[in-house]
């Protein structure tokens, strides 16, 4: 298949591009390299030494004799170029990763809030609008997030895959309806993902665009069999207070003996998936597209759930690095249950990678190898959800 990977230079996009190319698909990456620019602005770098994109692509071709194309484009602002690229390549599928994806970054300042909304909402809308204008029957596979459901909204009831069955009283009696699961975003970033959902619902209904929306959990791990082929293909690894996600961040903190920073009680339950399963799920979604006229197909792209404090305990026992509880910069419940349905991917043949000792060891090896690249001053979370709270960074022990 001819596939565009928009955001193909990022943490999920790069290993996905390699996985799809390895599987024989004709892949073109579209990216504006904004994630690398944000690193420059935040004065931080990936823990792993990521090569420039042209070096990555040359190395892939040398190692595998397979070519991945690249087009520089800002999805949120270069509408005419997007339309031209669509007409030139006529892709069968488009994987859409191209969004500002850090909740803390989205809450940092009025500028980052507005950037996140402009970038994410315009990017998704441009894609839907351009497919409608060009009349192409391309399947969009979009990366959403488990955060659209919010946490704890339904107590211990399982979170369904996108849609909720509701009963409505009418003068003629009770009727049942399937509605988009109520949105309950916890940050400006999550809010943009809930707006994406509405745009997908509209364009599938009005213009028969085919969309699969993957509500992904927190991705951990860093390498896939393809990124391991050469150091120049290595995936990025974010550890800073804005982009570093829990578990990868704990493993890096353990590697340098830095207390594992748990925000609040650590009773928050989150959903996880290993990067190797991310790339497999995306391929499964591409190979199983919805029909024209079908409502957005929504999958929960999740394999496990854990409480943050249990993850910290696990890593602490393994590494003997203590846990440090800090004030929570987020406005959220101290504790929540999270039970997630993920039957659709299991039915399509996903064999989940679980949080095993072996995989933790693998991430730890990476963190130990590149430990000299860590800037400890970048570890504490500095973004605040509300102005009134004391910055978590102020209390962090170094
Ligand atoms: N990483 C996770 O744990 C996680 C969890 C759930 C969902 N997701 C979703 O998966 C997607 C990818 O996440 P990631 O971790 O790879 O993020 P990332 O920031 O590493 O990658 C995003 C890529 O998109 C590019 N990009 C951003 N805006 C663009 C624009 N306007 N035009 C062109 N390119 C643009 C960036 O340069 C970058 O290469 C995001 O939509 C994110 O919300 C990620």
């Amino acid at each position: 298949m001819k596939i565009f990977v928009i955001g193909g230079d990022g943490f999920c996009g790069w290993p996905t591009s390699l996985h799809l190319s390895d599987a024989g698909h004709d892949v073109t990456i579209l990216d504006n390299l904004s994630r690398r620019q944000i690193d420059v602005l935040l004065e931080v770098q990936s823990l792993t030494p990521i090569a420039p994109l042209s070096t990555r692509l040359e190395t892939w071709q040398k190692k595998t004799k397979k070519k991945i194309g690249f087009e520089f484009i800002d999805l949120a602002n270069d509408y005419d170029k997007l339309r031209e690229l669509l007409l030139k390549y006529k892709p069968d599928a488009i994987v859409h990763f191209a969004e500002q994806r850090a909740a803390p970054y989205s809450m940092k300042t009025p500028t980052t809030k507005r950037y996140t909304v402009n970038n994410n909402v315009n990017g998704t809308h441009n894609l839907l609008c351009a497919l409608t204008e060009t009349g192409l029957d391309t399947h969009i596979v979009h990366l959403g997030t488990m955060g659209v459901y919010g946490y704890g909204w339904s107590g211990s009831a399982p979170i369904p895959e996108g849609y909720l069955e509701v009963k409505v009283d009418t003068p003629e009696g009770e009727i049942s309806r399937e509605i988009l699961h109520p949105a309950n975003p916890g940050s400006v970033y999550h809010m943009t993902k809930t707006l994406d959902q509405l745009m997908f619902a509209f364009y599938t209904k009005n213009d028969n665009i085919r969309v699969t929306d993957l509500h992904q959990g927190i991705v951990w791990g860093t390498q896939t069999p393809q990124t391991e082929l050469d150091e120049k293909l290595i995936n990025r690894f974010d550890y800073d207070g804005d982009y570093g996600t829990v578990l990868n961040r704990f493993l890096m903190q353990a590697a340098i003996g830095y207390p594992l920073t748990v925000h609040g009680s650590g009773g928050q339950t989150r959903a996880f998936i290993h990067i190797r399963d991310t790339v497999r799920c995306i391929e499964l979604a591409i190979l199983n597209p919805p029909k024209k006229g079908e409502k957005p197909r929504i999958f929960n792209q999740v394999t496990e759930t854990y409480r943050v404090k249990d993850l910290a305990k696990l890593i602490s026992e393994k590494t003997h690095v203590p846990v440090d509880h800090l004030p929570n910069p987020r406005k959220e419940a101290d504790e929540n249950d999270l039970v997630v349905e993920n039957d659709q991917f299991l039915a399509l043949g996903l064999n989940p990678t679980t949080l095993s000792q072996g995989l933790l060891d693998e991430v730890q090896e990476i963190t130990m190898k590149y430990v000299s690249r860590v800037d400890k001053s970048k570890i504490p979370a500095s973004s605040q959800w509300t102005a009134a709270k004391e910055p978590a960074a102020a209390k962090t022990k170094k």
Side-chain angles (χ1 to χ4, degrees), residues 255-269:
I256 59 169
Y258 188 107
L260 310 178
T261 41
V262 170
H263 295 135
S265 69
Q268 308 93 327
T269 310

Side-chain angles (χ1 to χ4, degrees), residues 11-56:
F11 171 60
C12 298
W14 175 241
T16 300
S17 301
L18 298 188
H19 178 80
L20 294 174
S21 172
D22 209 24
H25 298 289
D26 176 1
V27 176
T28 303
I29 289 176
L30 277 62
D31 205 300
N32 67 348
L33 310 182
S34 53
R35 181 66 193 87
R36 292 180 187 248
Q37 186 58 27
I38 290 174
D39 272 350
V40 174
L41 295 172
L42 294 175
E43 299 185 338
V44 65
Q45 57 181 358
S46 161
L47 177 71
T48 46
I50 50 171
L53 182 56
S54 59
T55 309
R56 283 178 152 186

Side-chain angles (χ1 to χ4, degrees), residues 164-177:
L164 190 67
E165 184 96 18
V166 295
K167 306 257 185 258
V168 185
D169 282 330
T170 73
E172 291 76 40
E174 190 182 80
I175 55 168
S176 86
R177 286 279 181 275

Side-chain angles (χ1 to χ4, degrees), residues 6-13 30-36 73-77 96-101 115 119-120 123 142-146 189 193 214 216-220 236 238 243 245:
I6 316 186
D9 186 48
F11 171 60
C12 298
L30 277 62
D31 205 300
N32 67 348
L33 310 182
S34 53
R35 181 66 193 87
R36 292 180 187 248
I73 180 174
D74 179 344
L75 183 66
N77 291 299
H96 172 22
F97 290 109
E99 299 191 55
Q100 191 300 100
R101 70 100 173 132
Y115 165 69
N119 189 63
N120 296 4
H142 170 256
L143 271 291
T145 163
M146 282 301 296
Y189 155 70
K193 295 286 187 182
L214 305 175
Q216 186 170 237
I218 297 169
V219 183
W220 69 284
R236 64 176 303 128
D238 296 308
Y243 279 87
T245 47

